Structure formats: C-alpha cells, structure tokens
C-alpha cells in the first residue's frame, strides 16, 4: 500500500521542528547579504541528494539501507553506518540541549534545563518505542493539530518587518560556500530515514521529491524574518534570531501573553517527532548488531538515556555551537557519501541483473 502522504507529512514536520532554530543562525553567520542565494543553493543540493538517494534505493526493491549494505559485507556496513549512528546520536543530544535552552529563555526560566530535557526525552522515547506505522500516524495527528497554528504564527511574524532590509538582492560574494557554517546549516535537511522505512512503509519517490519543494518558503522565512525585522548586523548578534523576532510580535487578543510561547508549544511537538525518528533509525541499526534477545524497548531507553546524559554534560550555548561545528564534519560525510554510495551500489546491482539476463 502506498503511504506517500504519511511520509510527506512527517518529512515536512521534522524539518519544521528544527529549521527555525539553528538554521537561521548558521545562514546569517556565513552570508552578509542576498541570503536567498545561499538558502536556495543549499536546498538545491539537498533536493539533488534526495534524488540520488531515493533513486539508488529504488533499485533494491523490498530492502532497507541495512539490507543493502550487508549484502556487500559487514566491513562496508560499518564504514557507512557507524558514522551515521554517531552523527545521529550526537545531533539528537546537541539539539535537545539547544531546544531546552530556547524553552528556558522564553517561558521556563526557573525550570532546570535537565527537567525540560528529561520531559522531551521521555515523550520522544514513548513515540520511538512504537512501531514505524504508529510513529507516522502520530506525525499525521501532530500535523493536523499544530500545522495550521504554525502557519498563523508565520503570517503574524511579518508584523514588524522593514522591506528595505531585503536589499541588495544580489551578491557576487560566494565565500559562504567554503564556510564550515554553511555545511552545518544543511543538518536541517534530513532524509536518511527514507532508507530505513522500506519495505514497512512504501512511498513514491517522485512525490517525496516534488513535495520537498514546499519547504523552500519555510527556509526563506526562517532567515528573512529576523533579517527584515532587525537588519542583518543586529540579527547576527542573536543566537536564536527567529525566536527573538517572533518575540517582538504584539497580538493583544491572543490567549497567550507572548506569541513566542504559542509558537514553541507547537514546534516542540515537531521537534519531539524529529528526535523520535532519529532514535528509531539508530534503534534499527542496533537491532541488526545486537543479539535478538535484546528487546527493542531496552534499546530505545538506553539510547534516550545516552542522549539525555550527553545533553546534560553540555555546559552552555558556546559548547553547543562548538559541538555543532565538530558534528558538521560527520554530517558532511553522511550527507554526501551515503546517497552516492547507494546510487553506485544500485547501478552495480542493475548491471549485474542485466548481465545475468
């Protein structure tokens, strides 16, 4: 049964859960003007890699990423999937810490960070302990409830913009391409999970590709709202520029005192879905490495404990930024190597099948 609509919705939601936080900071840091160029170039690379990745996966009918690599030996599997496992674990720990910091700054200033992180970890553990079908159905429910509210906040975010800040529209400075921050920004473009959900959840790769384009406005809004509100120089001084820009919105008739609180309460659900899906991928990897006697709930609990403890050990936002820089190297490896490796292996498999005939 084709479940493309489920995959599309979850794909959009997990991006919305993280794109408004670290992504604007990294883009503003590496680009001083005409930010749309860096955003669209990054998205074009993202879209191309999804095409390569799904094209390679389509040549292995009924197999997931683990099955494909294991055909070519355990050494090859370790070379490609061990860095992915480390990267996803590290990403989940750092983003939970950064997200908890955001929540603390906005409306839980007297709540210890560990308590906020523990709540996120517990809910994410419950979601990721479900089977993949239930996880995706949960994503659809979250989308139906909270996506309209997110759209409302994004429309209201234009309340204080100054359109003069959009100029200049063109820049001949492409130095951002060599800036490590730029590749770090692409962590918001996650698609590795697409290699693990088959054959349990079947989807049409072309639908995923075309619906991914709908994310472009959200990437542009995440960067341009703070730039148009404060100006590029001022926006660059904030660690969470989009959240700061939303905090300037004044709506007297809303039941929340601050629309930022309203926004965070909505996006935190998408973020928990992102963490749950990340842990689910790592669980699928570990299930093939550990004895079958080790039950899935124990793996999920162990992974979330690892994420929670690692997040607590991060001292401040400066260390968060440092860890994102370190993780950017693993991200670059996984982001580029895995899609092309799957595409090449798919091409080899196709050639062998043609030769056998």
């Amino acid at each position: 049964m084709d479940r493309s609509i489920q995959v599309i919705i979850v794909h959009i939601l997990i991006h919305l859960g993280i794109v408004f936080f670290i992504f604007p900071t990294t883009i503003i840091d590496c680009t001083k003007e005409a930010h749309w160029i860096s955003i669209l170039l990054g998205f074009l690379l993202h879209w191309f890699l999804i095409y390569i990745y799904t094209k390679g996966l389509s040549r292995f009918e009924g197999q997931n990423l683990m099955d494909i690599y294991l055909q070519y030996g355990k050494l090859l599997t370790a070379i490609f999937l061990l860095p992915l496992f480390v990267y996803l674990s590290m990403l989940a720990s750092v983003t939970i810490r950064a997200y908890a910091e955001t929540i603390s700054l906005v409306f839980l200033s007297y709540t210890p960070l560990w308590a906020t992180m523990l709540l996120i970890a517990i809910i994410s553990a419950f979601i990721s302990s479900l089977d993949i079908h239930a996880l995706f159905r949960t994503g659809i429910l979250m989308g139906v409830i909270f996506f309209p509210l997110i759209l409302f906040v994004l429309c209201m975010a234009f309340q204080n913009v100054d359109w003069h800040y959009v100029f200049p529209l063109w820049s001949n400075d492409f130095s951002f391409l060599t800036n490590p921050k730029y590749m770090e920004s692409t962590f918001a473009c996650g698609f590795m999970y697409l290699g693990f959900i088959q054959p349990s959840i079947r989807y049409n790769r072309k639908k995923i590709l075309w619906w991914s384009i709908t994310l472009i406005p959200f990437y542009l809004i995440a960067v341009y709202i703070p730039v148009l509100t404060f100006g590029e120089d001022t926006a660059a001084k904030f660690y969470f520029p989009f959240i700061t820009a939303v905090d300037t919105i004044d709506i007297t008739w809303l039941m929340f005192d601050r629309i930022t609180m309203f926004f965070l309460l909505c996006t935190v659900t998408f973020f928990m879905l992102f963490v749950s899906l990340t842990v689910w991928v790592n669980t699928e990897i570990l299930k093939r490495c550990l004895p079958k006697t080790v039950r899935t709930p124990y793996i999920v609990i162990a992974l979330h404990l690892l994420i929670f403890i690692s997040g607590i050990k991060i001292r401040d936002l400066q260390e968060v930024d440092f860890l994102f820089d370190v993780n950017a190297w693993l991200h670059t490896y996984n982001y580029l190597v895995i899609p092309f490796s799957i595409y090449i292996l798919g091409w080899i498999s196709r050639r062998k099948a043609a030769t056998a005939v």
Side-chain angles (χ1 to χ4, degrees):
M1 182 178 178
D2 184 10
R3 300 184 184 274
S4 298
I5 187 63
Q6 293 185 7
V7 180
I8 290 167
I9 292 174
V10 170
H11 186 76
I12 292 174
L13 295 186
I14 62 173
H15 285 78
L16 294 183
I18 53 179
V19 71
F20 297 108
F21 297 92
I22 305 300
F23 178 75
T25 307
T26 54
I27 292 295
I28 294 172
D29 283 348
C30 67
T31 312
K32 297 302 179 185
E33 54 189 23
H35 301 81
W36 65 270
I37 299 176
S38 57
I39 296 171
L40 292 185
L41 284 178
F43 191 86
L44 182 62
L45 174 63
H46 164 70
W47 195 85
F48 174 70
L49 290 175
I50 291 182
Y51 169 80
I52 292 294
Y53 188 50
T54 55
K55 183 69 174 179
L57 290 170
S58 66
R59 291 170 175 169
F60 297 94
E61 186 67 28
Q63 293 179 295
N64 61 26
L65 204 62
M66 288 288 294
D67 297 326
I68 295 169
Y69 282 137
L70 285 172
Q71 292 180 17
Y72 297 90
K74 294 183 178 179
L75 178 60
L76 188 69
T77 305
I79 291 173
F80 289 117
L81 292 186
L82 181 59
L84 178 63
F85 178 85
V86 174
Y87 165 70
L88 292 177
S89 300
M90 191 172 178
L91 178 64
S93 300
V94 179
T95 50
I96 276 186
R97 177 62 173 78
Y99 216 109
E101 188 77 41
T102 309
I103 294 173
S104 178
L105 289 171
V106 174
F107 62 91
L108 292 180
S109 55
Y110 296 105
T111 303
L113 282 174
W114 66 264
T116 305
M117 293 168 58
L118 181 62
L119 179 62
I120 295 174
I122 289 174
I123 298 176
S124 299
F126 173 74
I127 298 174
S128 54
S129 65
L130 305 173
D131 66 84
I132 189 60
H133 297 282
L135 194 155
F136 272 73
R137 287 195 296 269
T138 302
I140 293 176
L141 179 62
M142 289 179 176
V144 170
I145 297 174
F146 297 109
F147 186 70
L149 304 178
I150 295 294
L151 290 180
F152 166 75
V153 174
L154 295 182
C155 292
M156 294 297 102
F158 287 91
Q159 184 183 86
N160 299 318
V161 301
D162 183 347
W163 291 102
H164 291 92
Y165 287 129
V166 77
F167 300 102
L169 291 174
W170 179 259
S171 173
N172 292 320
D173 182 11
F174 289 86
S175 60
F176 63 85
L177 293 172
T178 59
N179 191 322
K181 285 283 186 182
Y182 186 59
M183 183 51 69
E184 182 183 322
S185 71
T186 59
F187 90 93
C189 304
F191 55 82
M192 290 300 166
Y193 73 95
L194 293 173
F196 291 88
I197 60 177
Q198 292 192 129
S200 298
I201 294 183
R202 299 184 179 276
Y203 58 87
N204 186 313
R205 54 181 295 270
K206 292 183 179 179
K207 292 180 181 179
I208 306 300
L209 283 169
W210 291 115
W211 276 95
S212 294
I213 297 175
T214 61
L215 287 169
I216 293 178
F218 298 104
Y219 283 93
L220 291 170
I221 288 172
V223 174
Y224 271 100
I225 287 298
V227 170
L228 296 178
T229 302
F230 305 112
E232 202 282 333
D233 291 337
T234 304
K237 298 182 184 299
F238 299 120
Y239 196 87
F240 300 109
F242 184 84
I243 300 301
T244 308
V246 171
D247 209 28
T248 65
I249 302 172
D250 182 25
I251 303 179
T252 56
W253 50 266
L254 194 66
M255 63 180 175
F256 291 94
D257 292 335
R258 296 161 65 196
I259 198 172
T260 317
M261 185 188 305
F262 183 71
F263 177 74
L264 280 177
L265 289 174
C266 295
T267 55
V268 71
T269 59
F270 300 161
F271 175 72
M272 288 188 293
L273 183 65
F274 164 74
V275 174
S276 301
L277 193 56
T278 300
V279 173
W280 180 84
V281 169
N282 274 355
T283 302
E284 291 299 301
I285 294 175
L286 284 181
K287 282 167 63 176
R288 302 294 289 269
C289 302
L290 299 175
K292 293 184 178 180
T293 53
V294 181
R295 299 177 61 185
T296 300
Y298 298 143
I299 300 176
V300 172
I301 293 172
L303 287 174
H304 277 89
L305 279 175
L306 175 65
I307 292 170
F308 174 67
I309 294 172
S310 301
I312 289 178
K313 295 297 181 181
I314 300 174
R315 289 170 292 187
D316 49 34
L317 286 176
Q318 285 71 30
E319 192 164 334
V320 168
D321 196 45
F322 170 75
L323 291 173
F324 269 124
D325 291 340
V326 172
N327 209 24
W329 295 100
L330 274 174
H331 167 71
T332 304
Y333 177 84
N334 293 302
Y335 196 55
L336 299 176
V337 172
I338 291 181
F340 281 105
S341 68
I342 289 297
Y343 184 84
I344 292 170
L345 292 177
W347 179 79
I348 293 173
S349 175
R350 186 178 179 183
R351 288 290 300 272
K352 287 182 178 179
T355 303
V357 174

